[in-house]
């Protein structure tokens, strides 16, 4: 038997419920994973606070985990005892779960469990942002929310491609931005002018990880081609202002993120993509972990440890 967190009531973090489940035996193309760490993401909080109550349906949480294979179907390229990462799964807030083998990847030995569990959602989102804006070597790009999980992954991946990043952040997180090779710039009044002074040859693309009007306004002012502005948070103005938005539920985003997963795992295995983890919580303390995540300032990734 396993434990699993589900959302039984929407609109408040008090709506979480811990239940006991019996994960099904894996089919031919599935595996069962004993979870060692659960990756946590802002979308988890959003699901709880903003989704509509589906009545009797108990909604699962969690899209990524790391753990050990306990059972594998005949067609799955894994065996019991293999250490793995799973991403784009459903119901990851669990101590054990059965998932499609296509969503499972060998965990690099160099990655700890919490880091592995938090690698792929932020990493794949960052990779898609760089992809859709066509950022390339020698260009300067603006990254809003550069010290957050997606922002940090953007900075690392951009550096590998020879792309210069200017990242908005609070002064207290400039160290994080600079650690990953970018130039920090404080947000607030005068942001456009500060960025222009740091990039006299212009900003080729802007990647928005925060969704504020300031981020969008400054991006529109600095980037000539609005098709090279992308947001993962500011959906309301996209149609009117002509910039791009992406999200894991969008078919094109899902396809790209599925395709890039193995490459990101390989980068992490070589030490070229790291995951700063701020804190881990015992599995039973998921509500407290989500409360911290909901503040928007956890200082790095969070993980549940069953």
């Amino acid at each position: 038997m396993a434990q699993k967190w589900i959302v039984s009531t929407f609109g408040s973090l008090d709506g979480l419920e811990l239940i006991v489940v019996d994960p099904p035996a894996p089919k031919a193309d599935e595996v069962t994973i004993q979870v060692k760490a659960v990756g946590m993401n802002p979308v988890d909080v959003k699901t709880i606070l903003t989704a509509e109550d589906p009545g009797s349906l108990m909604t699962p949480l969690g899209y990524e985990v790391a753990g050990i294979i306990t059972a594998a179907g005949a067609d799955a390229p894994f065996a019991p005892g293999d250490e793995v990462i799973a991403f784009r799964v459903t119901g990851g807030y669990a101590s054990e779960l059965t998932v499609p083998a296509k969503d499972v990847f060998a965990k690099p030995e160099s990655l700890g469990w919490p880091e592995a569990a938090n690698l792929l959602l932020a990493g794949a989102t960052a990779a898609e942002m760089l992809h859709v804006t066509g950022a390339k070597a020698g260009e300067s790009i603006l990254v809003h929310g550069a010290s957050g999980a997606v922002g940090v992954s953007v900075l690392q991946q951009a550096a590998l491609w020879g792309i210069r990043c200017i990242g908005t952040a609070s002064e207290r997180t400039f160290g994080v931005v600079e650690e990953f090779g970018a130039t920090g710039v404080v947000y607030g009044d005068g942001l456009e002018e500060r960025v222009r002074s740091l990039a006299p040859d212009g900003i080729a693309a802007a990647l928005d990880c925060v969704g504020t009007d300031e981020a969008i306004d400054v991006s529109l002012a600095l980037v000539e081609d609005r098709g090279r502005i992308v947001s993962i948070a500011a959906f309301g103005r996209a149609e009117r202002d002509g910039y791009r938005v992406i999200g894991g539920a969008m078919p094109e985003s899902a396809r790209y993120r599925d395709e890039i997963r193995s490459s990101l795992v390989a980068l992490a295995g070589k030490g070229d993509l790291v995951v700063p983890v701020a804190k881990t919580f015992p599995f039973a303390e998921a509500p407290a972990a989500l409360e911290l995540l909901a503040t928007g300032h956890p200082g790095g990734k969070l993980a549940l440890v069953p």
Side-chain angles (χ1 to χ4, degrees):
M1 301 299 285
Q3 292 184 310
K4 181 178 183 178
W5 284 102
I6 55 93
V7 187
S8 58
T9 304
F10 291 90
S12 166
L13 295 180
D14 294 334
L16 291 176
E17 182 180 348
L18 185 60
I19 62 173
V20 175
V21 295
D22 188 8
K27 298 176 183 176
D29 58 350
E30 295 179 331
V31 297
T32 300
I33 301 172
Q34 177 190 3
V35 176
K36 292 295 186 180
V38 178
M40 301 186 70
N41 295 281
V43 68
D44 303 336
V45 174
K46 183 178 179 181
T47 297
I48 299 167
L49 297 182
T50 66
E52 294 183 1
D53 192 335
S56 61
L57 178 64
M58 296 186 296
T59 301
L61 282 173
Y63 295 95
E64 55 184 342
V65 302
I68 299 173
I69 299 289
T70 58
D75 297 334
F78 297 100
D82 288 348
E83 297 185 351
V84 296
I85 301 170
F87 168 57
R88 290 183 67 77
V89 300
T90 300
Y93 279 44
S95 59
E96 187 176 47
L97 74 165
T98 298
V99 300
K102 67 180 179 61
D103 297 322
V104 178
F105 305 86
K107 182 183 82 69
E109 291 184 5
S110 58
L111 284 185
W113 294 116
E115 289 79 11
N118 278 293
L119 171 68
L120 287 176
L121 193 150
T125 303
E128 188 188 5
M129 295 182 85
L130 289 164
H131 170 71
V132 301
T133 55
K136 56 183 182 291
E139 292 185 328
S140 293
I141 66 173
L142 178 61
V143 183
H144 295 285
S147 65
V150 175
V152 163
S153 193
V154 166
L155 301 186
Q156 294 179 76
Q157 294 182 52
L160 292 172
W161 296 357
I163 301 165
R164 181 198 177 205
C165 291
I166 296 171
T168 69
S170 63
E171 289 188 15
R172 67 179 178 81
T173 59
F174 270 21
V176 175
V177 175
E178 292 168 357
E179 177 185 354
F180 295 107
T183 301
V185 58
V186 66
Y187 45 73
D189 291 344
L191 176 59
E192 179 186 339
E193 290 71 24
R194 289 192 293 276
V195 175
R196 289 188 187 279
S197 69
L198 292 170
D201 293 331
I203 295 293
L207 287 63
D208 167 43
C209 305
V210 294
T212 62
D213 282 336
E214 176 188 63
I216 296 302
D217 291 341
V218 170
S219 298
L220 293 171
L222 291 172
V223 180
E224 182 177 349
D225 180 356
R226 294 189 175 190
R228 301 194 70 186
I229 301 171
V230 65
S231 178
I232 59 172
F235 292 88
R237 295 175 52 183
E239 183 174 357
R240 184 191 74 190
D241 290 329
Y243 58 87
R244 303 188 66 163
V245 291
I246 58 173
M250 298 177 179
E252 288 187 17
S253 291
R255 279 193 295 272
Y256 182 83
R257 296 180 192 194
D258 285 350
E259 292 168 359
I260 201 69
R261 293 176 297 185
S262 59
S263 296
L264 296 172
V265 173
L267 288 176
K270 294 188 296 182
D272 290 334
L273 190 59
V274 302
V275 181
V277 173
K279 188 174 182 179
T280 63
F281 288 79
F283 187 71
E285 296 180 14
L290 286 161
E291 289 282 1
L292 177 56
L293 184 63
T295 69
H297 302 286
K301 296 293 288 185
L302 305 177
L304 300 177
V305 182

